[in-house]
Amino acid sequence: MDAHRLNRRDAMRAGGGLLGAAAAMSLVTRTARAEPWTWSATDSVVGSGGGADPLTTWDPEADPVVANVMDNSNVPEVNRLLATWTHNTQPLPDGLPKELADFIEYARQLPSWTDQTKLANSFEFTKKRGLYLGVLYAFASGMMSTVIPHEALAVYYSRGGTHLKDRIAKTAKFGYDIGTVNAYGDGGEMVVTCVKTRIIHSAVRHLLPQSPYWPAGVTPITQDDLMVTWHSLATTIMRTLTAWQLRIPPAESEGYLHSWQLAGHLLGIRAEYIPATWDQANAQAAQVLDPILAPTAEGINLADQLLNLGANLDLTLLSRGILGAFTRFIMGDKVGNWLNIPREPVWSPLLEVAWGPFVAVREGVLAVAPAVDIPYWMFDEFLRQFAMWYVAELRMPLSIEIPLTNR
């Protein structure tokens, strides 16, 4: 085994033995669904569809275009040109391969069901809860990705597995762009971010099957995988905020969903799979997301790297232990145990006792915090410091590029 490859034996010994090994094999065994695909396309944003199992579909519009560019074009030059395309309505740079430029012009178009009023309501939602969202994208969605076997393996064995900080920064950009005032309009960047991400997914589909560590005959990032990732973001965020008993006006809740519906479309998810309501999103997540969460050796390794983000933050406040405590608190003990995240003796009980009242005060449900000896200001400081890091990462030069290699 090459030195760069994860020592699976050590990772499994640390993280669950046979359970970890079985979950790691799910990449192969889940190419066929044990139960039939039953979520109805009538519950989708367009209300109809062919009903094909998303495990058997990929992205036939993007994949041949990107594969041809990677095999026959100067990819570094393509990446240099794409780096100059940053805003939604900006013309594409001259010099791109024609078939790629034609695909991007097609892929950047918003669907007919785009609702500008809902997008405005989505921004109102983000304005009020932006501090929560940054933390949740990291500790709910980000850490959940490490217990989604397909995603963990695809990330680990692709270039992202060895450039995790860069990948995290680009994920942060995704979360930031979707919450801006004109995310999908003039001056916004979300359309560009989504279309470039869609291109990267196609590039990974082309590259990963060439890796000696990847199961033969398996093409990564199916429509099912895209949907699972969508739910790890949109649905998981709304589930968590609901569990925290935030009082979210229905228009803002629907607006936030709509922003993610558009993101799904621009990422190449077929319209028949994009849920029309939160109830339908929860029903779909119960089929495609909840049952498949499991530890893998690769996911445990990625989670360990994510927890080391504290090295780049305020070490007096945001240490590995605190990051782990937030992960365990938000994701639950089962996921915390899967990822070998210990219960932190100070922050874990503090979060369990004080986070609910803290959120209630911030939301105006309680006028003042209960009179207990708990430093509520620490939560505000945590959110502030994390937001500062989140924004600082976005100030770095970021370019979502077509990868040239696997891990």
Side-chain angles (χ1 to χ4, degrees):
M1 181 181 293
D2 290 351
H4 75 264
R5 193 180 184 194
L6 176 66
N7 186 325
R8 183 180 299 276
R9 181 173 54 194
D10 290 346
M12 288 192 297
R13 184 165 58 239
L18 293 177
L19 176 63
M25 291 303 295
S26 70
L27 182 66
V28 177
T29 60
R30 200 167 156 264
T31 54
R33 191 182 296 279
E35 297 180 359
W37 170 244
T38 58
W39 191 81
S40 174
T42 60
D43 293 332
S44 71
V45 71
V46 292
S48 63
D53 191 325
L55 271 175
T56 64
T57 57
W58 287 266
D59 191 343
E61 296 172 329
D63 291 352
V65 172
V66 175
N68 189 46
V69 168
M70 295 178 73
D71 290 342
N72 299 300
S73 298
N74 183 340
V75 176
E77 175 62 12
V78 171
N79 282 332
R80 186 190 69 78
L81 292 170
L82 284 177
T84 67
W85 179 49
T86 58
H87 292 81
N88 299 336
T89 55
Q90 177 185 350
L92 291 177
D94 294 332
L96 288 174
K98 184 178 185 304
E99 63 175 344
L100 180 62
D102 289 345
F103 168 74
I104 292 174
E105 290 293 358
Y106 160 78
R108 73 194 293 186
Q109 303 303 312
L110 295 178
S112 60
W113 41 267
T114 302
D115 188 318
Q116 295 298 331
T117 300
K118 288 183 178 179
L119 288 178
N121 289 333
S122 178
F123 179 65
E124 288 301 312
F125 172 90
T126 302
K127 273 200 310 184
K128 295 176 182 177
R129 297 172 180 88
L131 284 178
Y132 301 139
L133 292 177
V135 173
L136 289 177
Y137 284 137
F139 296 111
S141 304
M143 293 302 290
M144 179 178 283
S145 71
T146 69
V147 290
I148 297 173
H150 278 205
E151 185 167 351
L153 269 66
V155 170
Y156 184 85
Y157 288 111
S158 66
R159 183 182 183 278
T162 51
H163 296 76
L164 196 59
K165 188 173 185 293
D166 179 67
R167 185 179 187 274
I168 292 165
K170 291 171 182 174
T171 303
K173 176 175 171 56
F174 198 98
Y176 177 82
D177 289 346
I178 199 172
T180 55
V181 64
N182 207 15
Y184 293 97
D186 293 346
E189 299 184 20
M190 190 59 183
V191 173
V192 176
T193 296
C194 287
V195 173
K196 286 185 177 181
T197 302
R198 183 177 180 181
I199 291 171
I200 301 317
H201 288 160
S202 285
V204 171
R205 288 189 200 99
H206 186 60
L207 279 175
L208 260 186
Q210 302 173 31
S211 168
Y213 306 122
W214 194 254
V218 175
T219 302
I221 318 180
T222 64
Q223 287 281 310
D224 188 89
D225 293 322
L226 291 172
M227 292 157 58
V228 166
T229 298
W230 189 93
H231 286 296
S232 75
L233 290 154
T235 308
T236 298
I237 297 294
M238 188 54 68
R239 282 176 169 180
T240 304
L241 295 178
T242 300
W244 289 353
Q245 300 181 4
L246 269 66
R247 297 187 296 188
I248 302 172
E252 293 179 15
S253 175
E254 292 174 12
Y256 185 62
L257 173 63
H258 190 62
S259 68
W260 277 103
Q261 289 168 333
L262 289 178
H265 168 84
L266 291 166
L267 287 169
I269 298 177
R270 286 163 52 162
E272 68 179 280
Y273 301 135
I274 300 174
T277 68
W278 284 120
D279 285 344
Q280 290 152 2
N282 284 321
Q284 189 185 88
Q287 182 174 4
V288 302
L289 172 67
D290 300 341
I292 59 98
L293 298 180
T296 62
E298 291 81 359
I300 292 169
N301 178 276
L302 293 172
D304 185 70
Q305 293 184 60
L306 288 172
L307 290 179
N308 285 331
L309 278 175
N312 300 314
L313 304 175
D314 177 356
L315 295 180
T316 64
L317 180 65
L318 300 178
S319 67
R320 179 185 172 94
I322 298 172
L323 296 179
F326 262 86
T327 299
R328 179 175 278 273
F329 174 69
I330 293 172
M331 295 301 299
D333 287 334
K334 181 166 74 171
V335 171
N337 291 339
W338 282 348
L339 298 176
N340 302 321
I341 299 173
R343 180 176 168 81
E344 208 276 337
V346 175
W347 274 83
S348 290
L350 187 64
L351 286 164
E352 292 161 3
V353 172
W355 185 259
F358 164 75
V359 170
V361 171
R362 286 188 61 92
E363 292 294 305
V365 177
L366 294 178
V368 295
V372 293
D373 187 21
I374 295 174
Y376 288 91
W377 65 267
M378 292 179 67
F379 293 144
D380 262 321
E381 181 66 4
F382 174 85
L383 293 172
R384 186 184 70 81
Q385 289 283 352
F386 197 89
M388 287 174 60
W389 171 83
Y390 187 81
V391 173
E393 289 293 293
L394 298 174
R395 294 195 185 105
M396 299 164 49
L398 283 179
S399 180
I400 301 174
E401 299 181 339
I402 298 173
L404 297 172
T405 62
N406 292 310
R407 186 182 181 92

